[in-house]
Amino acid sequence: MKFINYAMAAVAATCLALAGPLSAQTAAANSIEAINAAPQGADIAIRIDFKEPLAAPPTGFSVAKPAKIAFDFPSTANGLGKNSLVLKEGDLQSVNVVEVGGRTRLVLNLTRGMNYTTRLDGKALYVVLAPVPAVSESLAQRVTRFTEESAVGKRHAVQDVTFRRGKDGEARIVVDLSDAGTGIDIRQQGKNLVVDFVKTTVPDNLRRKLDVTDFGTPVNSVETKAFGENVRMTISPQGLWEHNAYQSENQFVVEVKRIVEDPNKLVQGTKTGYQGPRVSINYQNGDVRALLRLMAEELGLNAVISETVTGTTTLVLKDVPADQVIDIIFQQKGLDMRKKGNIMMIAPRDEIATREKLDFESRQQLSELEPIQLEQFVLNYQKAGDVARLLAGLAPVGGQAIPGTSQRILSKRGNAVADPQSNILFVNDIPSKLEEIRIFIKAIDIGVRQVMIEARVVEASDTFNRDLGVRMNFLSSRVNPNSGPGDGLGGSGIRGGGGAYSPSGQVTPQAIGVNLPSFTNVGGALAFSLFNASLTRILNLELAALETDGIGKIVSSPRVITANNVKAKIQDGTEIPYVTTVAGGGVATQNVSFKTAALSLEATPQITPEGSVRMLLVVKKEEPDWTRAVLGNPPIKTATVETNVVVENGGTVVIGGVYITKKENVTEKVPLLGDIPFFGYLFKYQQDTGQRRELLFFITPRVISDKLQLN
């Protein structure tokens, strides 16, 4: 943390070189005649003699690094005959006196930061310097301390230093320490990042400088060397960067990330809030321009302030970030800024808005007058005609319309022509739009990943479901089958589920356990279970075995390949004729129309960044009910299941809930005797039979790769 103490009565002339120069012909009304210094206990008293008494105490400010205090005297000349005095009184080293344009700046050069007070006594000005309390010094030291040494007196050691590149392009320096009690100091020194390991040794093979430029990170080199009783690591980044450090056990990690410059932020970085160096200000009725320049210097920025920024302000702030001080001034005076690189342009908000409006209008006029150019684009994956329509703000052929014309990428004078035979797009537009179109085509003209969806439609009875579930659970010794990985959602709660199959080919005790979505006591329930890729292979064997036993039937096993985010549909059924009679003019006319009664499956896959597949599944079962036919036209019974699941690549999802129920009632009796109440049961026989079948959909998505082969 950096502390700067500004104590000003008025800082209208903080920077004499940037202030408006006075006329060279104006004669100074006063002059500095003598400067003397003497110790007063722990304080230092400085007497400055003038030719004439001062009307008010001078404006002044203090800087921490390098430690100095400056005073500005308007209409005052340097009467000492020299520009520098060496005093050597305690922490006061020397005094510099500079006269510019009728004004004189007096600078006190110190060895450390000090507080000061001023007092007028006739023609003399007394400045008393007092040491800063030790609390501030200890606070500044704690800021750079990362880890305190826990094992005091013990020698520590650096065992290894490795450099890695993170997934986001950040530099990661990993230091293996002998123990977790090593004291660590980390600080920014100039353009480098310095890490000191307290009371630590480093072997000779690690005392080296690593050139890591080829890694493509913000860091150019990492140097490790012995530094007295400590080990010093110097990290040399480039460009804009920020660092993050953490320690886990005996491993210390420093991450250096590249900063993408944001023109709307004064201090760059990924952290939120104000991040500038801390300052304390006592600013009484001072010039706004001077204070803005001063804060810009603390932020390392070049300030360009508009001539329309005028007025004074009064601020009393303590330990406030410098960028927050600028924000406060902006709010007080209705100012705003635009930042380009390290140059900050400050002006009133209305003026900036007017400038941007004029700049926009000029660019718009330029685009209307700028000559157009012709450029051709060879497309590899997209259709040239579809891209031409997109550039014009229209929907592709067969796609949804785009409301309005705001999506148009071409300029008003631009046009695009597509050649379907060669799949080449010809664009005629201004150069700036051509660059945008080039970026747009590069982003969309890429290969689309494909997904193969395998669907196995199984007609199953309750016995089938129970047997399959028993066989699958036979391999699991799980005490509680309702817990563990791979559980599926079914009915009103979590049911079954299998874990991961061992890559070595052996099944672990808790590897497999599944409950298929058939519940004898719940009618019409929708349920599904998830299987991982390893369990899918075992599932195929079980389905084949149960079909051989005759208690299950695989209706169909279709496969379809579709692109990512493109709907795939599998349908199998018949068309039923419907006869309708239309009477007109005394003549009855019969018309025949057809309605589809089919078993269909719609799947829309989406490949996630993790490699899994998200699927929107719609299962529909339609069949005619001839028992309730009207005029020979049967109604169509429909059962629909719609769900959205995420399955790993090669895994299987089971969709159930499509039921087929069949009931039969058979009665045999002796005439008349069988109809006698109660006694009639002795002379008749009744048989009630019921059969319920369920359609199960086993859906397995597989992401197509170049190495995938279909047998």
Side-chain angles (χ1 to χ4, degrees), residues 2-11 14 60-62 115-116 277-288 290-296 298-299 313-329 332:
K2 182 180 180 181
F3 291 89
I4 302 176
N5 181 37
Y6 302 93
M8 305 181 179
V11 190
T14 313
F61 62 93
S62 63
N115 297 328
Y116 71 93
R278 304 263 178 179
V279 300
S280 297
I281 298 177
N282 186 0
Y283 200 76
Q284 302 292 332
N285 196 27
D287 185 48
V288 173
L291 184 57
L292 288 173
R293 287 195 188 95
L294 200 59
M295 294 299 102
E298 295 305 319
L299 295 173
T313 184
T314 299
L315 292 177
V316 180
L317 303 173
K318 185 177 181 180
D319 198 20
V320 179
D323 50 340
Q324 187 177 6
V325 176
I326 294 179
D327 192 26
I328 293 173
I329 299 173
Q332 285 183 339

Side-chain angles (χ1 to χ4, degrees), residues 216-491:
T217 68
V219 176
N220 290 331
S221 63
V222 179
E223 184 180 6
T224 307
K225 62 181 180 180
F227 191 78
E229 295 184 347
N230 306 333
V231 174
R232 173 163 294 184
M233 176 180 291
T234 304
I235 304 172
S236 302
Q238 62 178 352
L240 295 177
W241 56 274
E242 63 180 2
H243 77 278
N244 180 34
Y246 60 91
Q247 184 175 358
S248 177
E249 300 295 335
N250 61 338
Q251 191 174 77
F252 175 73
V253 181
V254 180
E255 291 183 351
V256 181
K257 301 179 180 179
R258 195 184 309 276
I259 297 178
V260 180
E261 187 174 2
D262 186 356
N264 297 321
K265 294 178 63 177
L266 289 173
V267 181
Q268 303 298 321
T270 58
K271 299 179 180 179
T272 58
Y274 301 105
Q275 309 170 43
R278 304 263 178 179
V279 300
S280 297
I281 298 177
N282 186 0
Y283 200 76
Q284 302 292 332
N285 196 27
D287 185 48
V288 173
R289 298 171 59 89
L291 184 57
L292 288 173
R293 287 195 188 95
L294 200 59
M295 294 299 102
E297 291 177 0
E298 295 305 319
L299 295 173
L301 302 174
N302 298 317
V304 179
I305 305 176
S306 174
E307 296 294 336
T308 56
V309 178
T310 59
T312 60
T313 184
T314 299
L315 292 177
V316 180
L317 303 173
K318 185 177 181 180
D319 198 20
V320 179
D323 50 340
Q324 187 177 6
V325 176
I326 294 179
D327 192 26
I328 293 173
I329 299 173
F330 285 176
Q331 295 177 10
Q332 285 183 339
K333 300 299 181 179
L335 305 177
D336 204 349
M337 68 95 186
R338 293 295 182 266
K339 187 170 175 288
K340 295 182 179 181
N342 65 339
I343 300 177
M344 180 175 58
M345 295 175 290
I346 303 174
R349 292 192 180 96
D350 296 340
E351 182 179 337
I352 291 180
T354 303
R355 289 181 181 178
E356 291 180 345
K357 182 180 179 180
L358 293 175
D359 184 57
F360 177 77
E361 292 177 351
S362 62
R363 290 200 304 267
Q364 187 176 11
Q365 293 175 0
L366 181 62
S367 64
E368 295 177 356
L369 301 176
E370 191 176 3
I372 59 178
Q373 299 178 3
L374 179 64
E375 187 171 346
Q376 64 179 18
F377 300 91
V378 180
L379 302 180
N380 300 318
Y381 302 97
Q382 299 290 340
K383 294 182 179 180
D386 293 342
V387 177
R389 294 180 62 87
L390 288 175
L391 295 177
L394 304 175
V397 179
Q400 298 180 354
I402 301 177
T405 59
S406 59
Q407 302 297 325
R408 179 181 174 92
I409 300 178
L410 295 169
S411 66
K412 295 180 180 180
R413 302 162 55 200
N415 60 83
V417 179
D419 181 22
Q421 184 174 1
S422 60
N423 204 33
I424 297 178
L425 181 65
F426 298 90
V427 181
N428 202 20
D429 213 330
I430 60 178
S432 58
K433 281 296 181 179
L434 289 176
E435 181 63 26
E436 296 180 10
I437 294 171
R438 191 178 298 107
I439 297 174
F440 175 75
I441 293 178
K442 183 179 179 181
I444 66 173
D445 191 29
I446 57 177
V448 180
R449 303 180 68 183
Q450 300 184 54
V451 180
M452 184 187 70
I453 300 176
E454 180 182 1
R456 284 156 292 181
V457 184
V458 180
E459 185 178 296
S461 62
D462 293 338
T463 303
F464 178 95
N465 296 328
R466 287 195 298 269
D467 288 352
L468 183 59
V470 168
R471 292 196 185 191
M472 299 297 293
N473 277 286
F474 181 76
L475 299 175
S476 176
S477 61
R478 183 181 299 169
V479 179
N480 182 12
N482 294 331
S483 62
D487 289 346
L489 189 62

Side-chain angles (χ1 to χ4, degrees), residues 662-666 687-691:
K662 182 180 179 182
K663 294 183 178 180
E664 294 183 358
N665 298 321
V666 179
Q687 181 182 10
D688 297 333
T689 60
Q691 183 182 8

